[in-house]
Amino acid sequence: MLHKTPFAFLVVAFLVTLTGFTARQDERKAAAHRQRPVIFNSDGDDAWCSCSDAPATTEGFLSIRQDHTDGCGMNSQFYCTTQSFNLFTHNSKLTEVFVSKEGFTPRNRMKELLADGTDPLALTVEACRKRNHEIFWTLRMNDIHDNYHPHLMSQWKRDNPQFLMGTPADFERFPRDDGRNVWTFVDYSHAPVRGRIVEIVRDVVSRYDVDGIDLDFMRHTCYFKETQLYQPATAEHLDMMTDIVAKVSRVVQEASRSKGKPVLLSVRVFPTLELNRRFGFDVQRWAESGYLDLIAVGGGYDPFTVPAKDMIDRGHAWGMPVYVCLSNSGMEQRGVTDSDLSGYNHAAWRGAAANAWALGPDGIMTFNVAPELAGSKDTQRARTVWKEIGDPKALVGTDKLYCIENLGYSYTQGYMMRSIPWQDRLPAALPKRAVVTRVLPVADDTSNLAARLKSLRLRVFLAGLKPGDDVRVHVNGKPLSASPEKPGWLAADVLPTLMRKGPNEITVAYRQGAAAELSIGSVELSVQYQPAR
């Protein structure tokens, strides 16, 4: 009996511990899978934006964004304070605090807020608690706005040039479409860089009442010299990045235990497993090792055609929610005149959201969309977008704009490191007597909604198009009666039965014309419905 008692005690203790662990895991899973129809990814520029009507006070800061975030369908905010590696707009006890009023930040409110005993992250946490919104802190893992705005460069970077991927001379030495032009990238092959990231997270999660940490690998997309030279990351690089995520996960788990509530870990990564591995992110290993709780995918530059289904399906197989990022930066066809695509065109947001929902995500993250003071155009846009895109059922039968994006700008800019494949999208060269086919995803079932349709019109922009050029347009193998519209544009009404719910083949044939080659710069489908009765 004397020998059995200690053993029985150990069994009971083990079962109690196991029960507690299981309960914590269940609580964590429930927190990870809460409903997030729309996530507001806020870049935190309310700390310094030039709003003359917002004084450098607590009330002034809140009046820019936080006062306009309730009652609009958004219930989760990912708040970023990163200005550069090691430079932030929260009151860090470890890193540098951005207080500069140089350049484009003459109204930086940081000094005044710090003097009042607060900071943007603390105020945002309080605002989210007041509204019962979830709040994550977002860490941009390699932000390089300082490549173009020197006052954003941290002293840490200036003191540690050996950890950077280049020198100031590279900015002039290499053209802007060369990755080496971006010399301020931090090189993650150095152990002190990786260790610094873990300690930065530890500092924030120990002092702020956040619900989660978000590691944003999309800002920006280069972590090793090989990437800067357009070469794939190595197996060793994959291990290095996995080690960071593993250590951050342990920090977050420790914070969960000390706070007595789940603190989650999210990452924003590329929309396909292949792209992630090429850039050094072994997301499958991260997920299967239990490091992650949720995933957001995409930089948002290709909001209509983003190939996110790969990571959505994989994330669900790994047991975690996945969110598609749509960015205002993708709501523009650069180099295309008279495009209908605009960040202020709500039909475009509805079209992008409908296509995203068709891929099966758990919600949508918006990027570069934010309120800015009461009654402003930006505030009205943000609140309307959040209200409209969070419910796929509510999007049925609403006016939309669908596009094939012109990704030439995103592809050629050095800081993107050719991370957005554009060969199957636009721009597309169209030599004389050649035919080019591209796929336009359309979430609307126009055949079944034909009775409600008011207009269904396809527009194609061709750089170099001249009057009299013979260009033919087909949809899913059927010819359209396309005619010149505005300069460079051909347009045609489309029968509802021609469009398919899902992928649609748009074929453009250049038969005769003045130029040896045209360039397809945009394909846009406007879907308009009769007012609901």
Side-chain angles (χ1 to χ4, degrees):
M1 187 69 181
L2 290 175
H3 296 290
K4 292 181 179 180
T5 301
F7 177 75
F9 176 80
L10 290 174
V11 170
V12 171
F14 171 76
L15 292 175
V16 169
T17 301
L18 180 62
T19 301
F21 174 78
T22 303
R24 288 194 298 272
Q25 290 299 101
D26 290 345
E27 187 179 8
R28 186 175 199 84
K29 185 175 181 180
H33 286 269
R34 66 170 286 175
Q35 293 297 308
R36 301 178 187 87
V38 178
I39 297 172
F40 170 26
N41 189 310
S42 175
D43 59 14
D45 65 8
D46 41 0
W48 46 256
C49 69
S50 297
C51 300
S52 59
D53 295 332
T57 62
T58 292
E59 294 75 15
F61 171 83
L62 295 174
S63 73
I64 298 172
R65 290 188 178 172
Q66 300 305 323
D67 287 349
H68 319 293
T69 59
D70 54 349
C72 55
M74 181 276 296
N75 67 348
S76 181
Q77 187 169 166
F78 283 38
Y79 190 79
C80 173
T81 62
T82 313
Q83 307 303 306
S84 172
F85 191 92
N86 206 64
L87 182 63
F88 299 93
T89 54
H90 65 267
N91 189 16
S92 175
K93 302 303 182 186
L94 174 70
T95 66
E96 301 159 59
V97 178
F98 179 64
V99 296
S100 172
K101 296 193 177 186
E102 300 176 24
F104 60 82
T105 60
R107 297 188 63 84
N108 192 344
R109 300 163 180 80
M110 284 302 298
K111 285 184 179 179
E112 291 83 355
L113 292 176
L114 293 172
D116 285 344
T118 189
D119 64 69
L121 180 56
L123 290 172
T124 300
V125 170
E126 292 173 11
C128 288
R129 292 284 171 258
K130 178 180 177 181
R131 294 170 175 82
N132 196 30
H133 288 176
E134 181 182 54
I135 174 66
F136 275 58
W137 176 65
T138 289
L139 171 60
R140 293 184 175 182
M141 298 293 283
N142 212 350
D143 193 287
I144 47 79
H145 282 89
D146 54 5
N147 198 70
Y148 314 101
H149 305 286
H151 75 292
L152 296 179
M153 179 170 285
S154 65
Q155 190 61 43
W156 187 94
K157 282 188 174 183
R158 300 178 193 276
D159 292 343
N160 294 279
Q162 72 275 18
F163 297 148
L164 305 184
M165 292 196 192
T167 67
D170 293 339
F171 190 76
E172 300 296 336
R173 181 179 299 134
F174 299 105
R176 191 155 176 166
D177 62 354
D178 188 318
R180 291 169 294 179
N181 169 274
V182 189
W183 65 276
T184 63
F185 275 120
V186 173
D187 187 344
Y188 273 65
S189 67
H190 298 284
V193 170
R194 303 194 301 274
R196 189 68 172 174
I197 286 290
V198 177
E199 293 311 308
I200 288 170
V201 172
R202 190 188 308 276
D203 177 58
V204 169
V205 80
S206 67
R207 297 192 301 109
Y208 292 88
D209 183 27
V210 294
D211 297 310
I213 298 294
D214 172 49
L215 304 181
D216 187 352
F217 290 95
M218 295 292 95
R219 282 291 185 275
H220 285 91
T221 57
C222 182
Y223 294 82
F224 302 101
K225 287 291 293 184
E226 284 77 2
T227 300
Q228 201 179 33
L229 299 174
Y230 308 124
Q231 300 299 316
T234 67
E236 183 181 11
H237 295 151
L238 290 168
D239 288 343
M240 290 176 180
M241 300 307 280
T242 295
D243 184 62
I244 293 175
V245 175
K247 288 176 178 175
V248 169
S249 175
R250 286 195 286 272
V251 169
V252 168
Q253 296 278 359
E254 291 168 5
S256 298
R257 288 190 289 272
S258 65
K259 294 174 183 286
K261 70 167 192 177
V263 179
L264 306 178
L265 181 58
S266 171
V267 294
R268 186 162 76 114
V269 292
F270 290 110
T272 70
L273 193 67
E274 179 183 3
L275 264 178
N276 280 307
R277 285 177 172 163
R278 179 177 179 83
F279 282 78
F281 316 142
D282 195 348
V283 183
Q284 180 172 358
R285 186 174 169 190
W286 302 352
E288 292 180 346
S289 297
Y291 301 149
L292 306 180
D293 297 294
L294 57 147
I295 300 172
V297 297
Y301 294 102
D302 48 354
F304 298 92
T305 64
V306 58
K309 187 166 177 55
D310 179 62
M311 287 302 296
I312 292 170
D313 290 348
R314 293 179 188 276
H316 290 166
W318 298 328
M320 63 189 60
V322 184
Y323 303 85
V324 174
C325 179
L326 305 179
S327 175
N328 184 61
S329 300
M331 297 292 180
E332 179 182 358
Q333 300 287 55
R334 291 178 173 88
V336 176
T337 58
D338 296 314
S339 170
D340 287 334
L341 183 58
S342 163
Y344 292 100
N345 184 343
H346 297 305
W349 283 99
R350 290 191 290 267
N355 275 355
W357 281 113
L359 302 176
D362 296 271
I364 293 174
M365 172 183 284
T366 63
F367 196 89
N368 280 348
V369 178
E372 188 168 306
L373 300 177
S376 73
K377 187 178 181 181
D378 285 337
T379 296
Q380 293 171 358
R381 186 260 303 273
R383 290 181 59 80
T384 300
V385 166
W386 293 335
K387 284 180 181 178
E388 292 186 343
I389 69 173
D391 182 356
K393 293 180 180 178
L395 288 169
V396 175
T398 61
D399 293 353
K400 299 181 188 71
L401 180 69
Y402 293 101
C403 300
I404 302 176
E405 305 89 347
N406 188 314
L407 299 171
Y409 176 86
S410 296
Y411 181 79
T412 57
Q413 291 305 293
Y415 65 83
M416 294 308 300
M417 300 297 157
R418 300 181 182 175
S419 61
I420 307 174
W422 61 274
Q423 288 84 350
D424 59 344
R425 290 176 280 185
L426 299 177
L430 181 61
K432 191 180 296 184
R433 289 180 288 278
V435 176
V436 169
T437 298
R438 290 293 183 266
V439 174
L440 174 67
V442 175
D444 280 54
D445 188 348
T446 58
S447 293
N448 286 332
L449 293 171
R452 289 191 52 196
L453 276 172
K454 176 182 178 182
S455 172
L456 188 62
R457 189 166 178 82
L458 184 77
R459 305 173 73 224
V460 179
F461 180 80
L462 296 141
L465 182 70
K466 302 295 183 183
D469 287 354
D470 186 358
V471 179
R472 311 292 175 90
V473 180
H474 289 65
V475 172
N476 295 321
K478 303 295 183 181
L480 299 182
S481 298
S483 59
E485 192 198 48
K486 297 177 181 179
W489 288 91
L490 295 177
D493 292 326
V494 183
L495 292 174
T497 53
L498 282 186
M499 300 304 302
R500 301 169 183 159
K501 182 178 182 180
N504 292 267
E505 290 189 347
I506 310 299
T507 302
V508 184
Y510 181 23
R511 302 183 66 174
Q512 291 292 335
E517 181 178 280
L518 304 177
S519 177
I520 307 174
S522 186
V523 173
E524 305 179 9
L525 179 72
S526 174
V527 185
Q528 296 183 353
Y529 291 91
Q530 301 284 353
R533 297 179 180 178

